[in-house]
Amino acid sequence: MKQEKLKIKDIITAVLLTIVNLVVYFALAFLCVNPILLLVYPLLVSLLQGIVYMMLGIRVPKFGAFLIYGIIFGVTGVYLPYIIGFLLTGILAEILLKKWRFCSLGG
């Protein structure tokens, strides 16, 4: 099966979903002001960001979408290990998806 390249529509979709994920992350970061809610923060971020992340995989099942995600999250990072981690994770996700030939989640 020949893998299609990213089109402008796919890039825009990937960037918009990544920005939605960033907004969710920063909006939920305000929960950290309360020590009790700090315990719930990782659960909420994981659930809400996971939904958007899976939407990215379903809406743009092409090589490069998760790399765009990793690059944008890496650029917004201030701490160098975060930047490197996001970039390496994006590259690793693309390698694994290329190896597994972008299996469809829908069936």
Side-chain angles (χ1 to χ4, degrees), residues 12-106:
I12 291 172
T13 304
V15 169
L16 287 177
L17 285 173
T18 304
I19 290 172
V20 167
N21 231 354
L22 279 170
V23 169
V24 167
Y25 176 76
F26 287 123
L28 290 176
F30 287 109
L31 293 177
C32 290
V33 296
N34 186 343
I36 301 298
L37 293 176
L38 184 62
L39 297 173
V40 182
Y41 175 72
L43 175 70
L44 289 175
V45 169
S46 300
L47 288 176
L48 294 177
Q49 281 192 315
I51 292 169
V52 179
Y53 194 75
M54 292 302 289
M55 281 179 54
L56 175 67
I58 293 170
R59 297 284 306 224
V60 189
K62 298 177 182 171
F63 188 78
F66 291 107
L67 184 60
I68 291 172
Y69 180 89
I71 289 171
I72 293 174
F73 258 86
V75 168
T76 60
V78 180
Y79 190 50
L80 184 62
Y82 288 164
I83 296 169
I84 294 170
F86 278 121
L87 294 176
L88 289 178
T89 305
I91 293 170
L92 180 65
E94 292 296 334
I95 290 171
L96 290 175
L97 287 172
K98 185 79 167 181
K99 180 180 176 186
W100 291 336
R101 296 187 183 113
F102 288 89
C103 296
S104 174
L105 296 174

